[in-house]
Amino acid sequence: MNTDEWTQTLGAGPLLGIAGAAVAVLLVLIIGLRVHAFLALVTVSIATAFAAGIPAGSVLDTLTDGFGSTLASVALLVGLGAMLGRLLEISGGAQSLTDALIRRFGEKRAPLALGVASLIFGFPIFFDAGLVVMLPIVFSVARRLGGGVLRYGLPVAGAFSVMHIYVPPHPGPVAASGLLGADVGLVLLFGLVIAVPTWYITSYLYGVMVGKRIALPVPEFLRGGPDTSEQDRNPPPASTVIGLLLIPLVMIFANTGLGTAGEVGWIDGDASWVQVALVLGSTPVALLVTVFVASYVLGIRRDRSRSVLERLLDTSLGPVCAIILITGAGGMFGAVLQASGIGDALADALSDLGMPVFVAAYVIATVLRIAQGSATVALTTAAGLVQPLVMTGSFSSVEIVAIVLALAAGSVTASHVNDSGFWLVGRFFEMDTKTTLKTWTVMETTIGLVGFGLAGVLFLVG
């Protein structure tokens, strides 16, 4: 039986109990019994699917669909990003850019400089792609200055997160704006007004503080291990590295810009040239082009043989295999919870509580995010639920923008084990599950809370 033809008969209470028990068992397996995260996620996903009553004939399809859809967005980005990172590391390009960064901003302001650069990169680039591109620079700075990877990595990851969730042309705020009839230009303006101070408080200040308490070693997977004998002794100038990093930025910016222009009617989004440009500017294609250009600029032009270059790129993929599989399994677990209908059941229950629209938007999005993991699903589902209230109410354009931002704030709150992004960040920084909960989950929750507070001020003055 297809899950589209199946109707969930369990209520919100039993489904919430099943989801809570599944998360608890998963944490016991991974943290308490030290079961490998990939095995634990697959096992708990299967058990949860049966416990939630998903038809036996649809269990495997639900698992593989969730796994495959996550890999479709993650595997290419992580693989191509690992290749680019290896080229930047081995060529000495990451170190060259690190030296220039430190000379310009000083050692104490390095986390701030990395975070601000990530805010700029995060305007057109989605969260996971931006993080992949910045990893070699983050690791190089952390290795050079010491203090652990979180001191530099959390401000960078937080920057991409706040831009991705609050600021168009990212898909979440754009979708919510369309559903609620908000002015995308105003959402962009006030989204930036909220995103920047939210990042400074929750990601920069918090990241520096946590980095002092939890000094994790810098991961070596981009270098192929601690042996750096293959590294160039004459690294490329920082300007060359910046130019390479600008390639995906420009291509993806063109993609998101054209997509937004098509949605608002400035251009014909169905025109052939627009469709071709959108494909060429997609994140995987942009990273592919960047890897080819970097292979020439940092490899062949610097007298590396093609066989050596091929081996370097080949060995970059092995260390990220676990990251890809665990992230895919995290997406599988989230897909099972989504297919179980827990989100719909909770949404129906919450929509009848009679809360003010602004508060309801945040609460519903938060509960949906915690229940099934996907920020996009939480945001769009919650926006659809509050849409009738917004359309029939007498809200100003600024108040509608504030409601959109409240939805965004809820959808980013409490990233945990049913969120593929939780596993992506945790494995990139080589954190165990407990540490990821103490750092990434806390940071994402504060990003939601501070953003909701600032959106509340906007709603009151709007």
Side-chain angles (χ1 to χ4, degrees):
M1 179 189 296
N2 191 300
T3 52
D4 293 335
E5 302 171 357
W6 165 68
T7 301
Q8 176 61 269
T9 57
L10 297 176
L15 286 173
L16 189 59
I18 291 170
V23 171
V25 170
L26 187 59
L27 293 177
V28 169
L29 288 175
I30 296 173
I31 299 175
L33 301 180
R34 310 299 295 177
V35 176
H36 192 280
F38 177 69
L39 297 176
L41 282 163
V42 175
T43 302
V44 172
S45 295
I46 295 171
T48 304
F50 281 111
I54 294 175
S58 300
V59 169
L60 187 59
D61 287 341
T62 302
L63 297 173
T64 54
D65 287 349
F67 187 73
S69 62
T70 303
L71 290 189
S73 62
V74 169
L76 282 173
L77 302 187
V78 174
L80 292 168
M83 288 182 167
L84 178 60
R86 178 64 62 82
L87 290 170
L88 290 173
E89 282 280 1
I90 295 300
S91 68
Q95 185 63 49
S96 178
L97 183 56
T98 295
D99 293 340
L101 184 74
I102 293 171
R103 283 196 303 269
R104 178 68 180 84
F105 294 99
E107 294 185 6
K108 292 185 178 180
R109 288 195 291 270
L112 179 64
L114 285 170
V116 171
S118 299
L119 286 172
I120 296 171
F121 266 72
F123 182 74
I125 296 182
F126 291 177
F127 168 79
D128 43 10
L131 188 58
V132 165
V133 170
M134 286 297 292
L135 276 182
I137 312 305
V138 171
F139 291 172
S140 182
V141 171
R143 200 175 290 118
R144 163 79 181 275
L145 299 181
V149 70
L150 293 183
R151 175 180 174 85
Y152 310 95
L154 287 180
V156 167
F160 286 115
S161 180
V162 297
M163 295 299 285
H164 185 79
I165 203 66
Y166 288 120
V167 182
H170 292 284
V174 169
S177 298
L179 286 169
L180 302 187
D183 186 313
V184 175
L186 285 178
V187 175
L188 171 60
L189 173 63
F190 289 113
L192 283 172
V193 170
I194 284 178
V196 174
T198 297
W199 166 79
Y200 186 82
I201 296 169
T202 65
S203 305
Y204 169 63
L205 294 180
Y206 174 75
V208 171
M209 179 190 71
V210 169
K212 292 178 180 178
R213 290 181 16 229
I214 306 174
L216 297 178
V218 182
E220 296 286 349
F221 63 83
L222 292 182
R223 308 175 89 186
D227 179 17
T228 59
S229 58
E230 292 181 315
Q231 201 162 18
D232 280 357
R233 304 306 175 194
N234 181 30
S239 58
T240 299
V241 180
I242 292 173
L244 287 171
L245 296 181
L246 285 176
I247 293 174
L249 178 70
V250 172
M251 293 181 68
I252 296 171
F253 184 81
N255 172 283
T256 52
L258 285 173
T260 303
E263 289 179 6
V264 300
W266 295 342
I267 59 174
D268 181 6
D270 295 326
S272 297
W273 72 270
V274 174
Q275 295 300 311
V276 171
L278 289 175
V279 172
L280 295 178
S282 64
T283 303
V285 174
L287 285 176
L288 177 65
V289 170
T290 306
V291 170
F292 273 120
V293 174
S295 297
Y296 175 75
V297 172
L298 303 180
I300 295 173
R301 203 174 75 174
R302 299 177 66 80
D303 298 325
R304 285 190 186 275
S305 68
R306 284 177 168 80
S307 60
V308 170
L309 189 61
E310 180 187 16
R311 181 174 58 80
L312 286 175
L313 295 178
D314 183 58
T315 55
S316 70
L317 296 177
V320 299
C321 177
I323 296 174
I324 293 171
L325 289 176
I326 292 171
T327 303
M332 174 194 295
F333 182 46
V336 167
L337 292 177
Q338 185 179 337
S340 72
I342 183 173
D344 294 336
L346 286 173
D348 290 340
L350 288 170
S351 62
D352 297 330
L353 292 181
M355 291 180 287
V357 176
F358 178 79
V359 176
Y362 173 76
V363 171
I364 293 173
T366 298
V367 172
L368 292 177
R369 159 71 157 182
I370 295 171
Q372 50 76 47
S374 170
T376 302
V377 171
L379 181 54
T380 53
T381 302
L385 287 170
V386 301
Q387 182 187 38
L389 300 175
V390 173
M391 295 304 182
T392 57
S394 55
F395 298 103
S396 69
S397 57
V398 174
E399 287 174 332
I400 295 176
V401 169
I403 294 171
V404 169
L405 296 174
L407 288 164
S411 72
V412 77
T413 302
S415 167
H416 65 101
V417 292
N418 61 0
D419 176 21
S420 60
F422 172 91
W423 298 104
L424 188 68
V425 172
R427 298 299 153 168
F428 270 150
F429 294 152
E430 294 188 350
M431 295 187 284
D432 59 28
T433 303
K434 185 177 180 180
T435 304
T436 310
L437 287 167
K438 290 164 55 179
T439 56
W440 171 253
T441 300
V442 171
M443 186 179 75
E444 288 288 271
T445 301
T446 56
I447 286 174
L449 290 172
V450 173
F452 175 62
L454 295 176
V457 173
L458 179 64
F459 185 81
L460 291 175
V461 302

